[in-house]
Amino acid sequence: MSTVEQSGKMWSGRFREPLDAVFEQWQRSFPFDVRLLPQEVAASKAHARMIAAAGILTDAELERMVEGLDQVGDITLEFAPIESGMVNPRLLGAELGTTPRTIRRWLNKQPEFNEEHVKHTRITLAKDDPLLLRMKNHFAIQANLNLDGDGASEEFPATTEADVAASMAHAEDIHHFVELQLTKVIGPLALKLHTGRSRNEQIATDMRLFVREAMDVTTKGLRRWALALIELAENAGEAAMPSYTHMQRAEPVLVAHWLLAYVAMIERDIWRLADARKRMNLCPLGSGAVAGATLALDRAIAAHELGFDGPTQNSMDATSDRDFLLEFTQCLATMGVHISRFAEELTLYATAEFGFLDLPEAFSTGSSAMPQKKNPDFTELIRGKSARLVGSATTQAVLMKGLPLAYNKDLQEGQEPVFDAADTVRGILGILPGFTRSLKFNFERMRTAATTGYLNAMAAATYLSNKGVAFRKAHEIVGNAVRLGLQSGRELDAIPLAELQGLSAAFGEDFHAAIALEATLDCHDVAGGTARARVRAALTEARERLSSADAT
Ligand code: ARG
């Protein structure tokens, strides 16, 4: 028997020496892959069905195993950040039938309670902390709690601190954890679950399941944001604003047209996710460690059970492929870039210099120093968060570059940035639709900006070219008219016809009507242009596309 066999490791047989204690803790992925518990349980159930079909489990054993796995999956994830040897009043609260808040309040009143007890935003108390003992007494629960970690009970109580802490001390990763817990629930039968599989295919499967769900959540959030923009655009009616090129006023556009530009970006983001989702929706289970399972498994069983379109093609690729993480994070990075452009525009437009919009107070903060300020925290933060999203995609690319086939432990490093990107996007999209809906524009100022500064010069040149003047010539004539206006402090529409006719005989009675704001908008009467009728139609079409249930 090897020295480490009793430690309950998944690979102890070959080893004579225990792991260096610090290294052991350091290399564990359980502190972060614990969030893959639902995916690990689902994938394990699918694997159980495959090995049962291959004759490894009887029907009764399969049933027990599936039930056991369900029980393991029911564990509340509240325990996740607890460190080995620590207990968490949140869980104690659940055990004691009181609320974490009551516990917190009680703790706050205790003189010896200090920041030492707060870790990862949670309160943690060492098992031997006298404060804990006093708390137990206070809540009169001593008899009901087993905090020593050795009380594996017949029934799997799942949330007792002891079980969790004990398992956490040893669990290397989520795969190991589930095996340990399953053993507690169904006994040695649990050890049959690993027949014909490897953690290499498990983590590849769990991550695919995680990403697939994150893609769906992201898509829903994007659709909600697009609909909020559409609502805002509809409410803007025929309001106009300047468009910019080189950050210089260019031509007037409808505010709705500007907002629909973001809808177009969002729709591309949604397509990109849908496209990547199709490519990744294949099941690695049955790939084994690298060369394929050592049992004749019907891989279609697991693929079907987990909602995949089928099994992956090649076991070496399946166990080491993380393209789906790269694609997912790249999708989020691109999306983050779009969001940051929106954030930047709003931040600019909310300045006194532009004055196009009044920032919603619910999403802004004041300055501790300058009483007059209202800072655009939300738009600044989401502009900044795009950096993390790009960072996550970069990590995936660098991690995979030059990595030999097949599984390498480096891949474990890819998980946290994916979780972070998924959480970041979930957070942003949880707020962005409501924020967007609450935006209030100063349409008056936008209109003034759109009607000053010769933004109708292009429409004027178009007018002349419609009268038969070659565009190049028309451009020059209008350029002269603009210079005339600049010299005398007048917009084009304030220059009398007679004066204009001094520049070109092609100017006629209908000129001023042709350069009025509405005409300036409507002369862009082309699909994708800002003519009012075009934008109205574009809005209806966008709403239809994004509201339909199967919109991609
Ligand atoms: N925690 C590991 C990871 O995230 C699981 C796979 C471990 N496989 C292995 N051969 N050690 O990559």
Side-chain angles (χ1 to χ4, degrees), residues 10 55 72 102 111 114 121 141 146 155 168 172 174 177 226 234 257 266 273-274 280 345 353 355 370 403 406 480 544:
M10 297 177 96
V72 174
T102 313
N114 57 43
T121 75
I141 47 100
N146 168 13
E155 246 200 32
M168 292 206 49
E172 200 171 303
I174 186 63
F177 174 75
E234 285 165 349
H257 193 59
I266 296 172
L273 282 168
M280 61 138 269
E345 289 211 286
E353 284 72 10
M370 296 164 280
L403 201 67
N480 291 335
E544 262 168 32

Side-chain angles (χ1 to χ4, degrees), residues 399-430:
L399 202 53
M400 288 180 66
K401 186 213 161 286
L403 201 67
L405 284 172
Y407 176 83
N408 294 275
K409 189 83 170 215
D410 315 36
L411 292 173
Q412 185 169 291
E413 285 301 301
Q415 291 179 33
E416 285 168 286
V418 168
F419 297 149
D420 182 67
D423 292 344
T424 299
V425 160
R426 194 190 271 255
I428 294 174
L429 291 177

Side-chain angles (χ1 to χ4, degrees), residues 29 33 173 175 199-200 203 407 409 412 415:
S29 54
D33 69 16
D173 53 27
H175 322 296
R199 284 186 292 166
N200 298 352
I203 191 61
Y407 176 83
K409 189 83 170 215
Q412 185 169 291
Q415 291 179 33

Side-chain angles (χ1 to χ4, degrees), residues 510-527:
D510 52 354
F511 174 68
H512 286 111
I515 58 160
L517 179 63
E518 282 66 29
T520 309
L521 291 164
D522 286 346
C523 73
H524 300 279
D525 189 11
V526 62

